[in-house]
């Protein structure tokens, strides 16, 4: 499968779709332990990317990731804006050094997640989007090292993302607004972990279909 930015319009569309379909559920999660604006924040970024999607599809990965990062940084409010902005700008930087094959993507994604950890001063287990991103990055690296076949990698990535999202339910929030609730933050899934998982699963679905019948 050749992974080029020509796929970006389709990826942005499925992401817009999955966030819209789950807007109520995610908003309820952010209302329970945050301030309820997470979906609105994300949708500001997604709408901005929808307007740029054709332009993005003409770029190479380095330029496309950079543009996505800058757009998210300025369009998305809240903690998630700067974190997603940071993620894509780091992906762009890492994509300068490596090509986006299976091994390369695993390394590039890990660099992005590392940058988010630094930016948010957060680690695994703090009840954030990182509890989805870190296990996915770890799995991608392990899969690349063991030359796991791509269809199997994709299936497993979705499973790892869902497990990571679910794992936030019983965690104590120690970063972001949810941390203000201390023990009362337990018992609710983190909104950012949920949207991270939904977006990863939506991307996986597109790639799985692409793999089955290349356009
Ligand atoms: P805000 O918290 O500013 O209202 P959002 O509601 O858009 O911003 O995003 C909240 C999400 O951001 C949380 O659910 C969590 O997943 C993530 N988050 C918050 N702080 C951090 C952090 N320091 N590191 C990683 N992720 C974080
Ligand atoms: Mg919020």
């Amino acid at each position: 499968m050749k992974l080029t930015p020509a796929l970006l319009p389709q990826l942005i569309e499925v992401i817009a779709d999955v966030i819209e379909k789950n807007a109520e559920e995610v908003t309820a999660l952010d209302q329970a332990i945050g301030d309820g604006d997470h979906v609105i924040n994300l949708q500001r970024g997604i709408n901005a990317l929808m307007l740029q999607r054709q332009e993005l599809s003409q770029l190479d990965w380095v330029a496309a990731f950079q543009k996505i990062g800058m757009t998210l940084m300025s369009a998305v409010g809240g903690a998630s804006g700067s974190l997603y902005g940071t993620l894509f700008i780091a992906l762009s930087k890492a994509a300068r050094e490596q090509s986006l094959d299976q091994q390369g993507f695993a390394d590039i994604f890990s660099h992005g997640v590392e940058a988010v950890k630094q930016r948010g001063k957060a680690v695994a287990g703090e009840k954030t989007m990182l509890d989805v991103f870190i296990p996915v990055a770890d799995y991608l690296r392990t899969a690349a090292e063991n030359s796991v076949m791509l269809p199997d990698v994709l299936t497993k990535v979705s499973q790892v993302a869902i497990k990571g999202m679910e794992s936030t339910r019983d965690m104590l929030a120690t970063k972001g607004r949810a941390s203000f609730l201390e023990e009362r933050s337990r018992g609710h899934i983190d909104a950012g972990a949920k949207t991270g998982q939904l977006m990863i699963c939506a991307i996986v679905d597109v790639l799985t279909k692409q793999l089955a019948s290349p356009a």
Side-chain angles (χ1 to χ4, degrees):
M1 172 168 59
K2 188 141 170 51
L3 220 53
T4 74
L7 263 180
L8 280 172
Q10 199 186 346
L11 293 177
I12 294 166
E13 284 158 23
V14 296
I15 284 171
D17 208 46
V18 78
I19 296 301
E20 179 62 38
K21 286 207 174 91
N22 291 272
E24 248 174 77
E25 187 191 338
V26 174
T27 299
L29 293 176
D30 196 34
Q31 276 165 348
I33 55 171
D35 56 358
D37 64 350
H38 182 56
V39 168
I40 294 172
N41 287 340
L42 274 189
Q43 286 184 329
R44 264 203 304 272
I46 293 167
N47 291 341
L49 292 178
M50 282 292 268
L51 295 174
Q52 295 175 352
R53 67 196 193 281
Q54 296 310 332
E55 194 186 332
L56 287 167
S57 72
Q58 309 295 316
L59 303 174
D60 60 24
W61 283 115
V62 171
F65 285 146
Q66 177 73 19
K67 192 169 172 68
I68 293 170
M70 300 300 282
T71 299
L72 295 180
M73 201 63 103
S74 60
V76 184
S80 51
S82 75
L83 294 169
Y84 273 105
T86 299
L87 173 68
F88 280 94
I89 288 166
L91 293 182
S92 169
K93 237 178 163 173
R96 268 175 223 154
E97 318 285 328
Q98 261 168 321
S99 61
L100 243 85
D101 53 23
Q102 201 172 334
Q103 171 72 49
F105 183 74
D107 290 343
I108 290 167
F109 189 70
S110 291
H111 272 99
V113 174
E114 203 47 51
V116 175
K117 286 166 74 177
Q118 283 177 21
R119 172 80 211 185
K121 299 185 175 55
V123 295
E126 295 197 90
K127 202 181 182 89
T128 71
M129 58 173 79
L130 284 168
D131 293 306
V132 170
F133 289 150
I134 292 171
V136 167
D138 290 347
Y139 170 70
L140 285 173
R141 276 202 319 277
T142 309
E145 277 158 24
N146 294 295
S147 309
V148 180
M149 299 294 286
L150 202 47
D152 298 334
V153 177
L154 290 171
T155 309
K156 184 79 187 200
V157 162
S158 281
Q159 292 168 355
V160 170
I162 291 168
K163 192 162 165 238
M165 174 275 287
E166 296 278 1
S167 77
T168 65
R169 190 193 307 271
D170 295 324
M171 288 176 184
L172 178 73
T174 43
K175 288 280 152 40
R177 286 177 201 280
S179 65
F180 306 154
L181 292 178
E182 298 181 354
E183 278 299 329
R184 281 177 294 135
S185 67
R186 287 196 213 268
H188 304 276
I189 287 167
D190 173 64
K194 179 73 192 181
T195 53
Q197 174 261 310
L198 289 170
M199 294 191 278
I200 287 172
C201 289
I203 291 170
V204 163
D205 283 349
V206 170
L207 297 183
T208 303
K209 281 185 199 131
Q210 183 80 14
L211 206 59
S213 56

